[in-house]
Amino acid sequence: MASITPEIVEAHGLNPEEYQRVLEALGREPNMVELGIFSVMWSEHCSYKSSRLHLRKLPTVAPWVICGPGENAGVIDIGEGPNGVRQAAIFKMESHNHPSYIEPYQGAATGVGGILRDVFTMGARPVASMNALRFGRPDHPKMKHLVQGVVAGIGGYGNCVGVPTVGGETNFHPAYDGNILVNAMTVGVADQDKIFYSAATGVGNPIVYVGSRTGRDGIHGATMASADFAEDSDAKRPTVQVGDPFTEKLLIEACLELMATDAIVAIQDMGAAGLTSSSVEMASKGGAGIRLDMNAVPCREEGMTPYEMMLSESQERMLMVLKPGREGEAEAIFRKWELDFAVIGEVTEPGPHGGHMVLEWNGEVVCDIPLAPLADEAPLYDRPVAPRQKPAPLGNVPDSDDVGADLLTLMACPDLASRRWIWEQYDQQVGADTIAGPGGDAALVRVHGTRKALALTTDCTPRYCFADPYEGGKQAVAEAYRNLSAVGARPLAITNCLNFANPQRPEIMAQFVGCVEGMARACGVLDFPVVSGNVSLYNESKATGGGSAILPTPAIGGVGLLEDYAHRATIGFKAAGETIYLLDQEAWASPHPERGHLGRSLWLREIHGREEGPPPRVDLNHERHAGEFVRELIAAGLVSAVHDVADGGLAVALAEMALAGGLGAEVSTSPEYTAAGWWFGEDQGRYVLTVPDDAAFQAQLAKGTRDAETASAGIRRIGSVGGDALLGIPLATLREAHERFFREWMEG
């Protein structure tokens, strides 16, 4: 056996101390197969070695949480289904950042495929997908190609597999020039008595491989995703997987058909690190050992070695543990769906020190590793964290010289321009359960056969997180809570995708820890637990023309429940003459904070070229009261349109409502604010409401609700719906500015 050199160890992403741990775990030098398995299992992508110490701070339990982090996806109770059986929503968000930068179409497409498998692995039929995308400067020479490829990949995979893409977010900033972010989220629905988990149990139970055959694509993908980019990023193209959505559709149907029987003991998709991670995770969760016959693994290429088979990340593959004697029944189902099926091993008895992974090939043992060091005892680092820095106050706050002109500029900027070019490439209606798709505060998907709907949103404001990670983490969760409340849904739980740069730099770990602690605080106060998620580190680039570290981006995927989708709200103005109200937490806060917050605002950046100051303050108690109050108003039918105030402030919120409804508005200013602060300040916890019956609305306020003393005290009348202009700008002019960016960029 060839000796493992320091160069080989380094090429596998292990440092000298970690390699010493490998030697101690084995009591000998590893062979190449064993080294490869340690490499991927101890990568950041699989082991969370820099992050899991801090992830424990996140709240993960609530009466409606059935399964929190640790499985393929999170599971929450959503009540009875049409057949009287209680149902669950199963969902997760994951990253596919590095692959999407290297090969945007396949990187994004396989990101969608992977998150779909995480959900249907647990027995759920996927009902909707979303995405959260971050790109660099539009004038960067590579960015148009990246945007086109990513959007085409998401649409190409989701449309073909038959799961609607119902919303998401897309932002631009120079910090993502050399490392874009592609975060994909999927939600599914399952009966609670048909939820499947991944713990392998039952000594002697057969282990079966189903789906596509194994190829050489994606080898060392998990290791590549756990390192920053150098100048040779294009040379890493072979580490990007290739997806086939039509095979994925067959795999969904075959798995769900087998799940309708009682043949499955455990099931796990082959995602990052492929056959290695799926087999290790199943065995370690079940406290068992595992033996695999590598000659039995279905391969699509000649001469594949055990090293390649174990590290391949070929797509559309699953690993299952079946009950004894059920192999024939299972094989018949997968052959019917034209998928590969093979019995490749068995669950084995754990020894006195735990289970082992044993791989055999050509009659010889080519790998024998104790499972504990691979999984539960993987390296765990308490990385140095730089002291928390208080952001400098915003000095010399400017005012707006021309509110209308500033609004036109904002509505045309890349971060606020219409995303029509993007979402028109996505099938939003396949499945016929989409009630509200892109363009609102949250998407709504009917729970089939019921009056209920799941509300979905993705949210994060990276510029806030960069200025103050703790407040930015709070705000990301609070905005998800606000967007779900704005459509009338009760927020239930979140998933997340925590995207950060190199954790070995103390300033980056400070960003990570601050954001996680801010998220934890918000989740606790809002009763909005984390049930699943993903950490993506080393998102930075040394590539020529690229930036360095990305902005800290803890993307939040929120899920809520609407008991009757007839009682929902949308953002568009409905009728001339309706009264416009602003629900403003700052109006009742005491002591009174800064009004019209312009620090880190889009207005300050786009109009004055300044990215300065602290982010806006987030009062979580007021966020909760305001959200509950808004949901009560929507359920009572007292408001005709609702929209939260976010990027760009009040003027942008009103413009989006006007464009969605095709109606203008007359809106007053406030003497308590500067013009810029009133129209473009990004104060948090605010909603714009339109009211068709002012007398009934005032009567409800006078009658009081459980939040009347807090939330309704912040209601102020600011105008009325009507006309064909807003702030002196004709709606046609506003719409043209709003639609211009993507059209001209993609046609240019």
Side-chain angles (χ1 to χ4, degrees):
M1 181 181 69
S3 178
I4 302 296
T5 66
E7 291 75 19
I8 292 174
V9 172
E10 183 180 9
H12 281 74
L14 298 173
N15 62 41
E17 293 77 17
E18 289 170 342
Y19 184 63
Q20 183 60 40
R21 289 186 60 168
V22 172
L23 297 178
E24 293 169 0
L26 294 176
R28 57 177 170 80
E29 189 176 84
N31 60 35
M32 281 297 292
V33 176
E34 293 165 333
L35 181 67
I37 288 171
F38 272 103
S39 167
V40 293
M41 290 306 299
W42 285 6
S43 68
E44 289 283 1
H45 199 76
C46 292
S47 73
Y48 290 52
K49 59 190 175 186
S50 296
S51 59
R52 69 181 193 268
L53 183 70
H54 301 285
L55 296 178
R56 297 167 183 167
K57 302 171 183 177
L58 296 170
T60 60
V61 297
W64 52 88
V65 173
I66 297 171
C67 178
E71 272 292 342
N72 288 289
V75 186
I76 58 173
D77 178 25
I78 58 170
E80 285 192 4
N83 57 0
V85 175
R86 293 195 75 82
Q87 292 184 302
I90 299 179
F91 59 99
K92 191 180 183 183
M93 178 187 279
E94 282 228 356
S95 62
H96 233 221
N97 303 333
H98 287 184
S100 297
Y101 184 83
I102 296 168
E103 213 309 301
Y105 184 94
Q106 289 296 346
T110 52
V112 173
I115 199 64
L116 286 168
R117 287 194 301 280
D118 278 336
V119 168
F120 75 75
T121 295
M122 298 196 69
R125 179 171 290 280
V127 298
S129 290
M130 302 189 82
N131 51 75
L133 312 176
R134 264 85 191 182
F135 296 105
R137 293 168 292 137
D139 60 356
H140 186 282
K142 194 171 182 177
M143 209 52 57
K144 182 176 176 180
H145 162 72
L146 290 171
V147 172
Q148 289 173 329
V150 165
V151 171
I154 292 170
Y157 204 100
N159 297 353
C160 292
V161 84
V163 177
T165 301
V166 296
E169 54 179 345
T170 304
N171 297 117
F172 297 84
H173 191 278
Y176 304 104
D177 279 356
N179 197 126
I180 64 173
L181 301 184
V182 176
N183 297 171
M185 174 181 172
T186 290
V187 181
V189 174
D191 289 345
Q192 291 186 22
D193 60 355
K194 289 294 183 183
I195 295 173
F196 292 83
Y197 298 98
S198 58
T201 57
V203 174
N205 281 348
I207 296 171
V208 299
Y209 170 121
V210 300
S212 292
R213 297 190 171 204
T214 295
R216 291 188 171 96
D217 51 323
I219 293 175
H220 277 300
T223 307
M224 176 271 293
S226 304
D228 55 13
F229 282 142
E231 288 77 4
D232 63 345
S233 62
D234 281 348
K236 296 183 178 180
R237 200 173 301 270
T239 64
V240 178
Q241 311 93 324
V242 177
D244 180 352
F246 298 106
T247 298
E248 181 103 339
K249 174 60 175 173
L250 299 177
L251 190 59
I252 292 173
E253 299 303 330
C255 286
L256 292 177
E257 183 174 337
L258 183 59
M259 287 167 172
T261 73
D262 64 346
I264 297 175
V265 174
I267 181 170
Q268 175 78 40
D269 83 292
M270 295 191 212
L275 186 53
T276 290
S277 65
S278 56
S279 55
V280 168
E281 289 171 11
M282 291 178 78
S284 60
K285 287 177 183 176
I290 193 168
R291 182 194 65 80
L292 301 180
D293 177 4
M294 303 309 293
N295 292 94
V297 174
C299 294
R300 68 168 182 260
E301 298 182 44
E302 293 293 328
M304 289 192 69
T305 65
Y307 179 95
E308 293 171 320
M309 294 179 211
M310 292 303 292
L311 270 59
S312 167
E313 293 185 4
S314 295
Q315 295 291 285
E316 294 87 39
R317 302 180 300 158
M318 311 285 279
L319 200 64
M320 297 181 183
V321 177
L322 299 182
K323 292 181 179 178
R326 306 299 291 272
E327 300 92 323
E329 176 185 359
E331 181 173 8
I333 290 173
F334 282 90
R335 297 296 184 195
K336 181 185 77 172
W337 289 100
E338 300 179 350
L339 296 167
D340 273 279
F341 178 99
V343 178
I344 66 168
E346 63 181 358
V347 178
T348 58
E349 185 81 45
H353 302 292
H356 276 234
M357 167 184 272
V358 176
L359 309 181
E360 297 175 358
W361 190 50
N362 295 337
E364 296 182 359
V365 173
V366 293
C367 169
D368 187 348
I369 302 178
L371 286 164
L374 286 176
D376 296 339
E377 298 172 11
L380 175 63
Y381 295 124
D382 186 0
R383 302 280 192 193
V385 177
R388 186 170 294 171
Q389 301 293 322
K390 186 176 181 180
L394 179 63
N396 186 27
V397 181
D399 202 359
S400 176
D401 297 326
D402 188 332
V403 170
D406 287 356
L407 177 59
L408 279 174
T409 299
L410 282 177
M411 295 298 286
C413 80
D415 271 4
L416 290 176
S418 169
R419 270 66 178 135
R420 183 184 305 277
W421 179 87
I422 295 176
W423 56 254
E424 283 187 343
Q425 298 184 54
Y426 303 153
D427 189 336
Q428 306 141 41
Q429 296 297 330
V430 62
D433 283 324
T434 304
I435 297 169
D441 286 318
L444 286 171
V445 179
R446 179 179 56 162
V447 179
H448 197 76
T450 75
R451 299 291 299 175
K452 294 184 291 190
L454 294 172
L456 320 174
T457 184
T458 59
D459 295 287
C460 183
T461 312
R463 62 184 187 276
Y464 294 173
C465 296
F466 181 77
D468 187 330
Y470 181 77
E471 285 296 321
K474 284 168 55 181
Q475 191 273 342
V477 174
E479 186 170 359
Y481 183 91
R482 202 181 311 140
N483 280 328
L484 297 174
S485 296
V487 299
R490 180 168 67 94
L492 291 178
I494 69 169
T495 183
N496 59 62
C497 199
L498 307 180
N499 307 272
F500 292 82
N502 188 335
Q504 298 178 54
R505 294 163 53 193
E507 66 273 21
I508 301 302
M509 275 308 294
Q511 293 175 353
F512 181 84
V513 172
C515 285
V516 167
E517 291 178 350
M519 290 167 53
R521 174 65 179 160
C523 289
V525 173
L526 299 175
D527 209 7
F528 201 25
V530 179
V531 297
S532 60
N534 170 240
V535 177
S536 175
L537 301 176
Y538 294 95
N539 287 292
E540 56 184 83
S541 172
K542 301 180 181 70
T544 303
S548 182
I550 64 162
L551 298 181
T553 311
I556 303 297
V559 174
L561 183 67
L562 199 58
E563 291 294 342
D564 185 346
Y565 55 76
H567 299 293
R568 65 185 187 274
T570 56
I571 72 170
F573 289 151
K574 302 300 186 297
E578 294 190 345
T579 307
I580 304 173
Y581 286 90
L582 177 65
L583 174 57
D584 183 358
Q585 72 171 22
E586 306 296 20
W588 72 82
S590 180
H592 203 289
E594 174 189 349
R595 297 176 188 265
H597 189 96
L598 292 169
R600 298 290 162 173
S601 66
L602 279 185
W603 177 83
L604 189 67
R605 188 184 81 189
E606 295 296 325
I607 304 301
H608 294 280
R610 294 169 57 185
E611 295 188 63
E612 301 172 21
R617 162 186 173 274
V618 179
D619 186 315
L620 294 168
N621 289 315
H622 289 302
E623 287 280 5
R624 180 164 184 161
H625 289 311
E628 290 172 347
F629 182 59
V630 165
R631 298 196 300 272
E632 288 179 354
L633 294 175
I634 294 170
L638 294 171
V639 290
S640 57
V642 179
H643 191 18
D644 86 308
V645 180
D647 290 348
L650 177 61
V652 168
L654 290 166
E656 290 170 343
M657 297 176 84
L659 292 177
L663 288 165
E666 290 288 337
V667 189
S668 60
T669 59
S670 171
E672 303 164 353
Y673 294 75
T674 64
W678 173 250
W679 294 113
F680 305 113
E682 296 183 5
D683 308 38
Q684 296 295 293
R686 299 189 295 166
Y687 301 79
V688 177
L689 318 169
T690 59
V691 174
D693 187 338
D694 217 27
F697 183 74
Q698 292 298 330
Q700 178 75 5
L701 295 184
K703 187 191 314 178
T705 68
R706 66 178 177 226
D707 293 301
E709 292 184 2
T710 52
S712 63
I715 287 281
R716 65 167 78 189
R717 186 186 188 282
I718 62 170
S720 61
V721 177
D724 58 1
L726 178 70
L727 300 180
I729 307 170
L731 288 191
T733 304
L734 198 59
R735 192 178 303 279
E736 167 57 27
H738 192 46
E739 299 280 350
R740 182 187 311 140
F741 167 69
F742 273 103
R743 183 184 67 239
E744 292 185 351
W745 189 30
M746 292 303 163
E747 291 177 357

